[in-house]
Amino acid sequence: ERIRYNHWMQKDLRACRYRLEALCPDIIINSHYELLDAVPPPLLPRTVNHFHTSFDQVGKIRSYRKTFQQYRDKLGRFVWLSESSCQAAKQAGIPNSCYIYNPLSFSSERQADPSVHKAVFIGRFSAEKRLALALEQFQAAVTREDLADWELDVYGIGALDEKLLQTMERHPRIHYRGSTDDPRQVLLDHSLFLMTSSFEGMALVILEANECGVPVIAFRFGETAEEEIQNGQTGVLVGQDDFESYQRELCALMRDEKRRAELGNQAKQFAAQFRADAIGWQWYRLFAEIRES
């Protein structure tokens, strides 16, 4: 089956090469490393390879290392999701690297009300998101008398563990809301975002929370954590798996409306650099540089 797959893949790559040669585009954006083999060699200097994950992740994959060796001096640019990934790539011998953040999918003139005693969790129901941990941390917080009026809304997609569903059904202050196609309005209805992921590449939902002026409390989930959350200024970061610190910081945020307001205001300002117009200009400048060279 692998031989048959490779046969059809090579046919597709050849067809793609012929098509690209005929089109002769100014810029090619590639988002899967295997497909670089479909780019005719004369067009490689016009090609951008755009990564949707961190350098730390791809650096562990043998086939990626082979791709770097083959193409690192031939491509127009390797574009990474974060500054930390870009620096790591350069240190690994890929000098033609740059980074462009993913843009926000919306902008918001409004800002969340910090006096609202409602927290939110939004994410896929996959293992690394650790929804069970978010529920556990929130449950521990609302056992305190002065926090007993807080509520947690859970939004997400994917298979939901039956035990977690039962936990939410039993707890009067936790509400499972299903999925949403309007994250802006959901975020505007809350004053605190709980993230408990063990790992994230570039978590767009954090930037969306920032745009709505909602501070995020999270574990240090990977190399982009500090680029998405300025600890103590736009949100709160604690050490990975430091559950005691997370619980302490969560309770402090839930008690302190003034701090939530300060963090939310600064998060809103911080989000400006991730808006679509700002990110669009970065791509435009990159295209101009590649064409000039």
Side-chain angles (χ1 to χ4, degrees), residues 211-226:
E211 176 66 14
C212 294
V214 179
V216 178
I217 176 170
F219 295 100
R220 281 188 167 80
F221 50 75
E223 62 188 39
T224 63
E226 282 79 7

Side-chain angles (χ1 to χ4, degrees), residues 11 34 93 111 123 125 128 140-141 144 147 162 171 242:
K11 286 188 67 174
E34 283 186 319
Q111 192 166 329
F125 298 137
E128 76 278 4
R144 293 159 174 79
L147 300 177
E162 190 64 32
H171 200 290
D242 187 350

Side-chain angles (χ1 to χ4, degrees), residues 168-236:
M168 289 186 280
E169 289 174 347
R170 286 196 304 266
H171 200 290
R173 291 287 173 180
I174 299 176
H175 313 288
Y176 172 50
R177 305 297 189 186
S179 62
T180 178
D181 57 3
D182 192 0
R184 171 171 45 191
Q185 189 56 54
V186 168
L187 289 163
L188 288 170
D189 290 340
H190 298 82
S191 65
L192 188 58
F193 188 103
L194 272 61
M195 173 169 275
T196 46
S197 298
S198 59
F199 177 82
E200 294 282 347
M202 187 77 183
L204 190 58
V205 71
I206 293 177
L207 308 181
E208 292 173 340
N210 288 343
E211 176 66 14
C212 294
V214 179
V216 178
I217 176 170
F219 295 100
R220 281 188 167 80
F221 50 75
E223 62 188 39
T224 63
E226 282 79 7
E227 293 179 55
E228 294 198 75
I229 300 175
Q230 295 182 317
N231 188 31
Q233 298 179 51
T234 66
V236 174

Side-chain angles (χ1 to χ4, degrees), residues 18-33:
Y18 293 141
R19 184 66 182 272
L20 287 171
E21 285 172 349
L23 288 171
C24 196
D26 293 320
I27 300 289
I28 298 170
I29 302 177
N30 178 61
S31 60
H32 194 287
Y33 69 100

Side-chain angles (χ1 to χ4, degrees), residues 1 14 18 34 36 46 50 55 59 69 93 100 102 112-113 136 142 171 189 211-212 216 224 229 265 279 291:
E1 288 201 7
R14 284 196 297 273
Y18 293 141
E34 283 186 319
L36 287 173
R46 307 181 186 191
H50 187 217
F55 181 80
Q69 291 171 358
I100 299 178
N102 276 342
D113 181 355
E136 179 185 306
V142 295
H171 200 290
D189 290 340
E211 176 66 14
C212 294
V216 178
T224 63
I229 300 175
N265 289 335
I279 299 300
R291 289 192 64 180

Side-chain angles (χ1 to χ4, degrees), residues 47-113:
T47 301
V48 170
N49 197 79
H50 187 217
F51 290 92
H52 292 271
T53 187
S54 68
F55 181 80
D56 183 55
Q57 280 184 304
V58 300
K60 297 173 182 176
I61 301 172
R62 186 178 302 173
S63 52
Y64 265 115
R65 293 199 293 268
K66 182 180 176 182
T67 298
F68 292 144
Q69 291 171 358
Q70 184 176 353
Y71 289 105
R72 63 184 170 190
D73 299 324
K74 298 175 183 177
L75 290 195
R77 209 70 98 245
F78 288 92
V79 179
W80 300 92
L81 268 181
S82 69
E83 183 178 6
S84 53
S85 279
C86 178
Q87 294 302 322
K90 288 181 176 180
Q91 291 171 6
I94 310 169
N96 60 333
S97 290
C98 68
Y99 69 96
I100 299 178
Y101 293 120
N102 276 342
L104 282 161
S105 58
F106 61 77
S107 60
S108 176
E109 295 181 2
R110 292 173 54 208
Q111 192 166 329
D113 181 355

